[in-house]
Every structure is written in C-alpha cells, then in structure tokens.
Short mmCIF file of all heavy atoms in Angstrom, two decimals:
data_model
loop_
_atom_site.label_atom_id
_atom_site.label_comp_id
_atom_site.label_asym_id
_atom_site.label_seq_id
_atom_site.Cartn_x
_atom_site.Cartn_y
_atom_site.Cartn_z
N GLY O 100 24.31 20.68 -4.25
CA GLY O 100 22.89 20.67 -4.57
C GLY O 100 22.56 20.46 -6.02
O GLY O 100 21.42 20.68 -6.45
N VAL O 101 23.54 20.01 -6.82
CA VAL O 101 23.32 19.73 -8.24
C VAL O 101 22.75 18.32 -8.38
O VAL O 101 23.09 17.42 -7.60
CB VAL O 101 24.64 19.87 -9.02
CG1 VAL O 101 24.46 19.50 -10.49
CG2 VAL O 101 25.17 21.30 -8.90
N LYS O 102 21.90 18.10 -9.36
CA LYS O 102 21.34 16.77 -9.58
C LYS O 102 22.44 15.79 -9.95
O LYS O 102 23.26 16.07 -10.83
CB LYS O 102 20.28 16.82 -10.69
CG LYS O 102 19.00 17.55 -10.30
CD LYS O 102 18.07 17.72 -11.48
CE LYS O 102 18.60 18.74 -12.47
NZ LYS O 102 17.62 19.06 -13.53
N THR O 103 22.48 14.67 -9.25
CA THR O 103 23.55 13.69 -9.44
C THR O 103 22.98 12.32 -9.80
O THR O 103 21.91 11.93 -9.32
CB THR O 103 24.39 13.54 -8.16
OG1 THR O 103 23.58 13.01 -7.11
CG2 THR O 103 24.99 14.86 -7.72
N LEU O 104 23.75 11.60 -10.62
CA LEU O 104 23.48 10.19 -10.91
C LEU O 104 24.78 9.44 -10.75
O LEU O 104 25.71 9.61 -11.53
CB LEU O 104 22.93 10.01 -12.33
CG LEU O 104 22.76 8.56 -12.80
CD1 LEU O 104 21.83 7.79 -11.86
CD2 LEU O 104 22.23 8.51 -14.22
N GLY O 105 24.86 8.63 -9.70
CA GLY O 105 26.06 7.85 -9.45
C GLY O 105 25.96 6.49 -10.10
O GLY O 105 24.92 5.81 -10.01
N ILE O 106 27.04 6.06 -10.77
CA ILE O 106 27.12 4.74 -11.40
C ILE O 106 27.97 3.85 -10.50
O ILE O 106 29.17 4.09 -10.34
CB ILE O 106 27.73 4.82 -12.81
CG1 ILE O 106 26.99 5.86 -13.66
CG2 ILE O 106 27.71 3.46 -13.47
CD1 ILE O 106 25.54 5.52 -13.95
N PHE O 107 27.34 2.83 -9.91
CA PHE O 107 28.02 2.01 -8.91
C PHE O 107 28.15 0.57 -9.36
O PHE O 107 27.23 0.01 -9.96
CB PHE O 107 27.27 2.07 -7.57
CG PHE O 107 27.47 3.35 -6.84
CD1 PHE O 107 26.75 4.47 -7.20
CD2 PHE O 107 28.39 3.44 -5.82
CE1 PHE O 107 26.93 5.68 -6.53
CE2 PHE O 107 28.60 4.63 -5.15
CZ PHE O 107 27.87 5.76 -5.51
N GLY O 108 29.32 0.00 -9.06
CA GLY O 108 29.58 -1.40 -9.33
C GLY O 108 29.76 -2.15 -8.03
O GLY O 108 28.79 -2.49 -7.36
N PRO O 109 31.02 -2.43 -7.62
CA PRO O 109 31.25 -3.26 -6.43
C PRO O 109 31.02 -2.53 -5.11
O PRO O 109 30.90 -3.17 -4.08
CB PRO O 109 32.72 -3.67 -6.58
CG PRO O 109 33.33 -2.55 -7.36
CD PRO O 109 32.28 -2.09 -8.32
N THR O 110 31.01 -1.20 -5.11
CA THR O 110 30.83 -0.47 -3.86
C THR O 110 29.35 -0.26 -3.56
O THR O 110 28.52 -0.23 -4.46
CB THR O 110 31.55 0.88 -3.92
OG1 THR O 110 31.15 1.58 -5.11
CG2 THR O 110 33.06 0.69 -3.94
N ASP O 111 29.05 -0.10 -2.28
CA ASP O 111 27.68 0.03 -1.83
C ASP O 111 27.27 1.50 -1.83
O ASP O 111 27.84 2.30 -1.07
CB ASP O 111 27.55 -0.55 -0.41
CG ASP O 111 26.11 -0.65 0.07
OD1 ASP O 111 25.24 0.02 -0.51
OD2 ASP O 111 25.86 -1.40 1.03
N PRO O 112 26.28 1.90 -2.62
CA PRO O 112 25.88 3.32 -2.65
C PRO O 112 25.32 3.81 -1.33
O PRO O 112 25.34 5.01 -1.07
CB PRO O 112 24.83 3.36 -3.76
CG PRO O 112 24.38 1.97 -3.95
CD PRO O 112 25.54 1.09 -3.59
N ARG O 113 24.86 2.90 -0.48
CA ARG O 113 24.40 3.32 0.84
C ARG O 113 25.55 3.82 1.70
O ARG O 113 25.35 4.62 2.63
CB ARG O 113 23.68 2.16 1.54
CG ARG O 113 22.40 1.72 0.87
CD ARG O 113 21.88 0.44 1.48
NE ARG O 113 22.84 -0.66 1.30
CZ ARG O 113 22.64 -1.89 1.75
NH1 ARG O 113 21.54 -2.18 2.41
NH2 ARG O 113 23.55 -2.84 1.54
N LEU O 114 26.77 3.37 1.37
CA LEU O 114 27.95 3.76 2.15
C LEU O 114 28.78 4.83 1.46
O LEU O 114 29.53 5.56 2.12
CB LEU O 114 28.82 2.53 2.43
CG LEU O 114 28.13 1.35 3.12
CD1 LEU O 114 29.13 0.24 3.36
CD2 LEU O 114 27.47 1.78 4.41
N SER O 115 28.71 4.92 0.13
CA SER O 115 29.56 5.88 -0.57
C SER O 115 28.82 6.64 -1.66
O SER O 115 29.44 7.28 -2.50
CB SER O 115 30.77 5.16 -1.19
OG SER O 115 30.35 4.14 -2.08
N GLY O 116 27.49 6.58 -1.65
CA GLY O 116 26.71 7.28 -2.67
C GLY O 116 26.56 8.76 -2.36
O GLY O 116 26.99 9.25 -1.31
N PRO O 117 25.93 9.50 -3.27
CA PRO O 117 25.68 10.93 -3.01
C PRO O 117 24.76 11.08 -1.81
O PRO O 117 23.72 10.43 -1.74
CB PRO O 117 25.02 11.41 -4.31
CG PRO O 117 24.44 10.18 -4.94
CD PRO O 117 25.36 9.06 -4.55
N TYR O 118 25.17 11.92 -0.87
CA TYR O 118 24.46 11.99 0.42
C TYR O 118 23.55 13.21 0.48
O TYR O 118 23.96 14.30 0.11
CB TYR O 118 25.47 12.04 1.56
CG TYR O 118 24.86 11.88 2.92
CD1 TYR O 118 24.66 10.62 3.48
CD2 TYR O 118 24.46 13.00 3.64
CE1 TYR O 118 24.09 10.48 4.73
CE2 TYR O 118 23.88 12.86 4.90
CZ TYR O 118 23.70 11.60 5.43
OH TYR O 118 23.12 11.46 6.68
N PRO O 119 22.32 13.03 1.01
CA PRO O 119 21.69 11.76 1.36
C PRO O 119 20.98 11.15 0.15
O PRO O 119 20.51 11.86 -0.73
CB PRO O 119 20.67 12.17 2.43
CG PRO O 119 20.27 13.56 2.03
CD PRO O 119 21.51 14.18 1.45
N LEU O 120 20.87 9.84 0.13
CA LEU O 120 20.20 9.17 -0.99
C LEU O 120 18.70 9.47 -1.02
O LEU O 120 18.05 9.24 -2.03
CB LEU O 120 20.43 7.66 -0.90
CG LEU O 120 21.83 7.17 -1.25
CD1 LEU O 120 21.93 5.67 -1.05
CD2 LEU O 120 22.20 7.53 -2.68
N THR O 121 18.17 10.00 0.08
CA THR O 121 16.76 10.37 0.11
C THR O 121 16.50 11.74 -0.52
O THR O 121 15.34 12.13 -0.67
CB THR O 121 16.26 10.38 1.56
OG1 THR O 121 17.09 11.25 2.34
CG2 THR O 121 16.28 8.99 2.16
N SER O 122 17.55 12.46 -0.88
CA SER O 122 17.37 13.79 -1.48
C SER O 122 16.71 13.65 -2.85
O SER O 122 17.04 12.74 -3.62
CB SER O 122 18.72 14.49 -1.62
OG SER O 122 18.60 15.64 -2.44
N PRO O 123 15.82 14.57 -3.23
CA PRO O 123 15.19 14.51 -4.55
C PRO O 123 16.14 14.82 -5.69
O PRO O 123 15.75 14.68 -6.86
CB PRO O 123 14.08 15.57 -4.45
CG PRO O 123 14.54 16.51 -3.39
CD PRO O 123 15.28 15.67 -2.40
N THR O 124 17.39 15.21 -5.39
CA THR O 124 18.36 15.49 -6.45
C THR O 124 19.47 14.44 -6.53
O THR O 124 20.34 14.55 -7.40
CB THR O 124 19.01 16.87 -6.24
OG1 THR O 124 19.65 16.90 -4.95
CG2 THR O 124 17.97 17.97 -6.31
N ASN O 125 19.45 13.43 -5.65
CA ASN O 125 20.50 12.42 -5.64
C ASN O 125 19.95 11.06 -6.06
O ASN O 125 18.99 10.57 -5.47
CB ASN O 125 21.12 12.30 -4.24
CG ASN O 125 21.91 13.53 -3.84
OD1 ASN O 125 22.35 14.29 -4.69
ND2 ASN O 125 22.08 13.73 -2.55
N PHE O 126 20.60 10.46 -7.07
CA PHE O 126 20.15 9.17 -7.60
C PHE O 126 21.37 8.28 -7.85
O PHE O 126 22.49 8.76 -7.96
CB PHE O 126 19.39 9.36 -8.91
CG PHE O 126 18.22 10.30 -8.80
CD1 PHE O 126 18.36 11.64 -9.12
CD2 PHE O 126 16.99 9.84 -8.37
CE1 PHE O 126 17.28 12.51 -9.02
CE2 PHE O 126 15.91 10.70 -8.27
CZ PHE O 126 16.05 12.04 -8.59
N TYR O 127 21.11 7.00 -7.96
CA TYR O 127 22.18 6.08 -8.31
C TYR O 127 21.61 4.89 -9.06
O TYR O 127 20.43 4.57 -8.97
CB TYR O 127 22.94 5.59 -7.08
CG TYR O 127 22.18 4.64 -6.19
CD1 TYR O 127 22.17 3.26 -6.46
CD2 TYR O 127 21.48 5.09 -5.08
CE1 TYR O 127 21.48 2.38 -5.66
CE2 TYR O 127 20.79 4.21 -4.27
CZ TYR O 127 20.79 2.85 -4.57
OH TYR O 127 20.09 1.98 -3.76
N ILE O 128 22.48 4.25 -9.82
CA ILE O 128 22.19 2.97 -10.48
C ILE O 128 23.33 2.03 -10.14
O ILE O 128 24.50 2.39 -10.29
CB ILE O 128 22.07 3.12 -12.01
CG1 ILE O 128 20.87 4.02 -12.37
CG2 ILE O 128 21.93 1.76 -12.67
CD1 ILE O 128 20.75 4.29 -13.85
N GLN O 129 23.00 0.85 -9.67
CA GLN O 129 24.03 -0.14 -9.35
C GLN O 129 24.00 -1.26 -10.38
O GLN O 129 22.93 -1.77 -10.74
CB GLN O 129 23.86 -0.70 -7.95
CG GLN O 129 25.03 -1.58 -7.51
CD GLN O 129 25.13 -1.72 -6.02
OE1 GLN O 129 24.12 -1.71 -5.33
NE2 GLN O 129 26.35 -1.86 -5.51
N ALA O 130 25.17 -1.63 -10.86
CA ALA O 130 25.29 -2.67 -11.88
C ALA O 130 24.86 -4.02 -11.34
O ALA O 130 25.01 -4.30 -10.15
CB ALA O 130 26.72 -2.73 -12.39
N PRO O 131 24.35 -4.88 -12.21
CA PRO O 131 23.98 -6.23 -11.78
C PRO O 131 25.17 -6.96 -11.17
O PRO O 131 26.28 -6.92 -11.71
CB PRO O 131 23.54 -6.91 -13.09
CG PRO O 131 23.12 -5.77 -13.97
CD PRO O 131 24.02 -4.63 -13.62
N VAL O 132 24.94 -7.59 -10.02
CA VAL O 132 25.94 -8.32 -9.24
C VAL O 132 27.21 -7.51 -9.03
O VAL O 132 28.30 -8.05 -8.85
CB VAL O 132 26.26 -9.70 -9.84
CG1 VAL O 132 25.03 -10.57 -9.88
CG2 VAL O 132 26.87 -9.60 -11.25
#
C-alpha cells in the first residue's frame, strides 16, 4: 500500500506494473518507444 512509481521500458505496465494500476497509490511512466 505504499505509493509507487514504476519506470518502464520494453515491458508492458498493464502486464507487469504495480497492481492494480487503477489504485490511487500506483503510478507508472513508460519510456518513449
């Protein structure tokens, strides 16, 4: 339940991001391309 920011490159955050991505404490940024 800690606030998270995932840094994603080639992997899809919908499949391996902090779950659930709809949580108000879970965030991600995906690199361009």
Side-chain angles (χ1 to χ4, degrees):
V101 176
K102 290 173 288 188
T103 64
L104 174 58
I106 307 295
F107 285 80
T110 52
D111 188 342
R113 295 170 298 179
L114 305 182
S115 58
Y118 190 88
L120 287 177
T121 55
S122 168
T124 58
N125 292 338
F126 304 94
Y127 71 85
I128 296 176
Q129 188 159 32
V132 298

